[in-house]
Amino acid sequence: MYISVMFYSLHELVMGDYCMVVGEVVLLMCVYIYIYICVCSTTTLQVGLSVYLILPTSAYLFITINVLVGRTDVVAVTPWLAPIVWEGTFDPVLIDNIYKPMNLTIATTVFAVGKYVRFLQDFLETAEKHFMVGFNVRYCVFTDRPHDVPSVNLNQGRHLSVIQVPGSNRWQEISARRMEIIQTTIEHQIRREADYIFCLDVDSKFHAHWGAESLGRLVAVIHPGYYEQTRDRFPYERRPASTAYIPMDEGDYYYGGAMIGGFVEDVYTLTKVCRNKFEEDAGNSLEAAWQEESHLNRYLLYNKPSKVLSPEYLWQDFKAKTKEVKVIRFSGVIKNYAEVRPNV
């Protein structure tokens, strides 16, 4: 028998620490209920318990406890008590139904620069089938080829805007400039239009449900190539001269740069800090080992995500599915990097 506790604060922006304090009290109540269930039951259980607490300013704190059978094979909570979202640790219908009445808008950014524009149609078409279905979504497509952006039928409440950006002869430069472009677009546009934001890689496809279970103040995803590795094997930036430096004895997870999410303002802060750190390195003629992904991992080490997505939310098509991964929700497609990148 396994217990998974997940917090969903629908107005964390205005409630802040108050929700956390009340949440700790309610969590204790839930633990007592769980113990009671375990003591009183003589059969194998699959129980769902929801606690709804009305707070000031019309905020709601939803705590869902699932007593599940079969997910002792994965770790579903971080050392700082943030949930790690795996199949079987949440009820997708319940969570989506909690969030949908809030009429939230989710901004979604993708970079389709150079030949990468060829991946945009599959990205958008599969997103319309699986990503935040029933929610308001605003796609922001950054490209140097606006005339090559495909026409895709979007569902009600979903919109697409094309923002022209310059191309580059180096994919590393394109990767590094993502943080700057997302930061400035949040400043000028997104913060007026959306509540949450996800920054995703365009050379990817959706395969299964990706819904409100992924929403949180600051959301990161565990890289599929390193979720079974120890931190001494993580490809962190190891040069002390770089602002992305992480010592060998530090680190929680290796997070993938192909997905960043959370409240718009929290992602804005992340992109601003990472951009400044990248520019500081550039001023010292340094480029971190994995560009913005290295700076992202440094930032998240000292600014812990409030929710972590499992590799289900960022798989790689060339990898065989492992026994822990019950569902692949989003994955990077197989491609010839030498053919689609401007340089190797």
Side-chain angles (χ1 to χ4, degrees), residues 5 23 38 58 77 95 115 147 160 185 200 223 232 235 283 292 336:
V5 181
C38 292
S58 299
V77 66
I95 296 174
K115 294 180 180 179
H147 298 297
L160 185 148
T185 306
L200 305 175
H223 195 293
D232 60 300
E292 92 282 8
N336 181 353

Side-chain angles (χ1 to χ4, degrees), residues 61-117:
L61 178 68
F62 296 87
I63 298 179
T64 300
I65 295 183
N66 293 313
V67 183
L68 300 171
V69 177
R71 291 274 45 186
T72 55
D73 58 332
V74 295
V75 176
V77 66
T78 69
W80 59 94
L81 302 183
I84 305 176
V85 184
W86 294 87
E87 173 70 9
T89 63
F90 65 94
D91 182 333
V93 176
L94 172 65
I95 296 174
D96 279 3
N97 287 341
I98 288 170
Y99 277 85
K100 282 180 180 177
M102 302 305 301
N103 196 32
L104 300 170
T105 297
I106 295 94
T108 307
T109 68
V110 287
F111 283 74
V113 178
K115 294 180 180 179
Y116 274 72
V117 74

Side-chain angles (χ1 to χ4, degrees), residues 188-208:
H188 299 143
Q189 177 179 337
I190 293 175
R191 64 167 35 138
R192 300 192 306 271
E193 299 176 345
D195 305 287
Y196 290 89
I197 182 172
F198 285 100
C199 309
L200 305 175
D201 273 8
V202 73
D203 52 337
S204 310
K205 294 171 65 174
F206 294 88
H207 306 279

Side-chain angles (χ1 to χ4, degrees), residues 164-218:
Q164 189 162 356
V165 296
S168 176
N169 292 324
R170 295 182 68 244
W171 69 264
Q172 295 91 339
E173 181 181 344
I174 297 170
S175 174
R177 289 177 51 240
R178 284 180 63 203
M179 294 294 187
E180 173 191 353
I181 293 171
I182 293 170
Q183 177 203 340
T184 56
T185 306
I186 290 175
E187 288 176 352
H188 299 143
Q189 177 179 337
I190 293 175
R191 64 167 35 138
R192 300 192 306 271
E193 299 176 345
D195 305 287
Y196 290 89
I197 182 172
F198 285 100
C199 309
L200 305 175
D201 273 8
V202 73
D203 52 337
S204 310
K205 294 171 65 174
F206 294 88
H207 306 279
H209 172 91
W210 178 324
E213 78 281 352
S214 63
L215 297 177
R217 178 184 55 80
L218 185 61

